[in-house]
Amino acid sequence: MSSDTATHARTAGTADGQQPPWQRRLRRFGYGDPAGRTPQPGARERLVPPFPEPGTRLWEAMGVAPDAALRLARSMSWAGPLLVALFAGLLRFWHLGSPNAVIFDETYYAKDAWALWQFGYEADWPKDANDQIIAGHATLGDAPAYVVHPPVGKWVIGAGEWLFGLNPFGWRFMVALLGTASVFLLCRIGRRLFRSTLLGCLAGALLAMDGLHYVMSRTALLDTVLMFFVLAAFGCLLADRDATRARLAAALPDGPDPGTSLPHPDAGDRLRPGLRPWRLAAGVLLGLACATKWNGIVYLAAFGLLTVLWDLGARRTAGARRPWLSTLRRDVPWAFLATVPVAVAVYLASWTGWFTHSGTYDRTTGWKHSGYMRHWAETEGGHGTDYPFAGVVNPLISLFHYEKQVWEFNTNLSSPHTYQSNPWSWLVQSRPVSYFYESPGPGKDGCPADAAEKCAREVLALGTPLLWWTACFALAYLLYRWALRRDWRAGAVLCGAAAGYLPWFLWQDRTIFVFYSVVFVPFLCLAVAMLTGALLGPRGASERRRVLGAVGAGTLVLLIAWNFIYFFPLYSGQAIPLEAWRNRMWFDTWI
């Protein structure tokens, strides 16, 4: 028997109709029909599952002709996400400049962003700068300021200030824009992940209705910028996964039946995937995430491992005899080069303003018009300026020393704060953060003139409670799907959630806040969407099962929507009667 014949026998099964070994292995993990009654997909279909043809019954029930109904159904793959993003954008840009104040940590990032666009480095502000800014006559010196986060997120915030000025609308504009764009991205990512436009749009709609994401999309903090880059990188890796598996599928030999294909070691072991621009784009985005906040490094590591495991699974499905060895030889080196060096280069490039503003030296006052510690290597580090490449090496040494100090600050920050919380409590939202609170009297700042007492006006960073509590059950369901049913989609979503959540348990003594969790909110929404899809029932389920599933899933989504509407005054800073505010404080820890 030739090697090709032996390979065909191993992959295609025996002549008596016995199922191939790969199908029998899959059945042990819950895939396919245990009795073998339904035909199994070929290797090509398992590598790249097709998008099912969208249903047209809704459009036809509205009197649309069948051909036009099909075109409308297909257009929803883009029209649906755009409509959901439009809804999210209208909410986020509505009264974006309110409250007309510097709220919470905007006092750092809004001012640092403005200084970056003025000088190329963060500068010191006077103590009463917030009042000056709101009054419209802020003054900014050129002395460098010590900051503890990389510059990309502040450059992004500053773009809005460059467009609209140093005011609340200006410094919140780009954050609101990225928050809206993340809703659109999640719709498209969910569609690709679940092969369902409905579930993709549901995930995006859930993100649009999450209170924490809403508040963070209207506040000039870095975490929403980080969330956007992480989510975009995840979407690029998903696109790369599909494109790479499509190349493997195209290299497989045809099976005995028309339209079928068989695994083959020539494709699984030897095929080089070629140029992978989507993975390179993910490396750039992960570099931007690291250059926004350092916890982007965790996503760089997690997503790097995830894409390698996806390559391993693709080669195994394609018929590789030694998938681990093939992946190590063909994929891992290129995966590393496309992510880690690219991310490092992007991170260093983000400090261009700090590098290029070397300033001037004055014997009396020292260095002026330069970034903080820009010349540490020459002045305090003991390095001269007359050795080869000193103009390149010294700034890198100074930056390394600066980053070392920042690391020590970030890992040892333990100043008590009223709204700090332990990561154990984040998923149930037991300790939200109040960004802004005031008690306007009747007739002031939106409080009704006929109010019997003062009103409450608050911006509370609280996730929509029913959404987050449902997400706890959804994560448990995804753990089951990943561990016992080998569902790669569940593993991908869990990876995104875990990378943003679990590392904080290493720093429980540090001062940390629940709003850090906004970076993995999109993955919680994907988890809830996947759970909702399970409630709806699989394709081919009975009509009764589908109706019951639709009722249950619809009820869940409507309750989450009601919950968001109920807490909306607390998310948007509207003045409401004090009694209405008390009714919304469901737990003492929310006050």
Side-chain angles (χ1 to χ4, degrees), residues 421-471:
S421 58
N422 192 287
W424 287 106
S425 68
W426 288 0
L427 289 180
V428 294
Q429 293 290 297
S430 71
R431 186 57 175 161
V433 182
S434 180
Y435 286 176
F436 173 83
Y437 183 88
E438 67 177 13
S439 299
K444 297 180 180 178
D445 293 331
C447 187
D450 57 350
E453 55 181 343
K454 289 184 177 181
C455 293
R457 188 174 179 223
E458 184 173 27
V459 176
L460 187 66
L462 168 71
T464 304
L466 290 184
L467 173 59
W468 283 73
W469 298 342
T470 303

Side-chain angles (χ1 to χ4, degrees), residues 16 28 39 52 59 99 137 158 268 270 304 312 445 451 504 569:
D16 60 0
R28 290 204 300 268
W59 301 107
H137 51 76
R270 301 174 189 174
L312 172 66
D445 293 331
W504 291 109

Side-chain angles (χ1 to χ4, degrees), residues 135-223:
H137 51 76
T139 57
L140 172 62
D142 59 4
Y146 173 70
V147 295
V148 295
H149 291 298
V152 162
K154 289 167 280 188
W155 280 110
V156 171
I157 292 170
E161 296 174 331
W162 176 71
L163 290 169
F164 301 104
L166 186 60
N167 54 69
F169 182 86
W171 63 64
R172 294 169 192 162
F173 175 81
M174 286 302 297
V175 182
L177 186 64
L178 293 186
T180 302
S182 66
V183 172
F184 175 79
L185 276 180
L186 191 63
C187 291
R188 293 290 300 174
I189 287 170
R191 180 181 184 272
R192 182 177 291 272
L193 190 67
F194 303 130
R195 293 299 195 262
S196 168
T197 300
L198 174 63
L199 292 182
C201 289
L202 173 61
L206 292 174
L207 187 63
M209 295 187 295
D210 176 60
L212 181 62
H213 186 272
Y214 177 80
V215 170
M216 294 297 290
S217 297
R218 292 166 53 87
T219 310
L221 271 63
L222 303 179
D223 301 83

